Amino acid sequence: MNGVNPWLLLAGSLSAAAALAHLAVIPGGPRWYAFFGAGQRMVRLAERGSPVATLITLGIATVLAVWSAYGLSGAGLLPPLPLLGPGLAAISAVYLVRALVFVPAVLIRTGRAGPFAWTSSAIVLVFGLAYAIGTWTVWDSLP
């Protein structure tokens, strides 16, 4: 790979920001869980001080941090990670499927999709497109 791939730099940075946002929710407590769109179950767990909410949020933040590392590795800012090409393709797919399936799933389940469903789907669509475009542009030069 030659130079820094701007799409994967953006993708990795977005995933890093999302990981940090998830970490910020933990000390923010139930209000932050609710504000950032966590479901009522997660909000109730946080209200009760259950470690389950914290562990789930830490798990999500960890996955997002790993995805960030893959984006930054694909961008050329970190050494190549194992299975970099397939990993970037899988991350792209997960973000894009989440973006395209979440609103219809919520509509089928509840008959209504609120602002969180639409906003979060738009956000992860941007993430997925950044990963997909970046992966496509560097695919031939990946190890």
Side-chain angles (χ1 to χ4, degrees):
M1 291 181 288
N2 297 330
V4 173
N5 181 286
W7 289 102
L8 288 172
L9 173 59
L10 173 64
S13 299
L14 290 170
S15 288
L20 291 172
H22 279 79
L23 292 175
V25 166
I26 296 168
R31 284 187 183 178
W32 282 45
Y33 277 95
F35 176 79
F36 282 101
Q40 283 301 312
R41 181 171 178 252
M42 284 290 283
V43 173
R44 284 193 303 270
L45 288 169
E47 286 171 343
R48 291 194 304 251
S50 170
V52 173
T54 299
L55 291 173
I56 290 171
T57 307
L58 284 173
I60 294 168
T62 300
V63 169
L64 292 168
V66 169
W67 289 2
S68 173
Y70 269 80
L72 297 175
S73 177
L77 295 174
L78 294 176
L81 293 174
L83 301 171
L84 183 57
L88 289 170
I91 293 164
S92 301
V94 170
Y95 274 131
L96 291 171
V97 168
R98 162 53 177 85
L100 299 174
V101 172
F102 186 65
V103 168
V106 170
L107 286 170
I108 290 168
R109 193 170 140 244
T110 67
R112 158 178 192 283
F116 173 77
W118 290 101
T119 303
S120 65
S121 291
I123 290 168
V124 297
L125 179 61
V126 171
F127 285 37
L129 288 172
Y131 273 97
I133 294 167
T135 301
W136 178 69
T137 60
V138 300
W139 186 260
D140 290 336
S141 63
L142 291 174

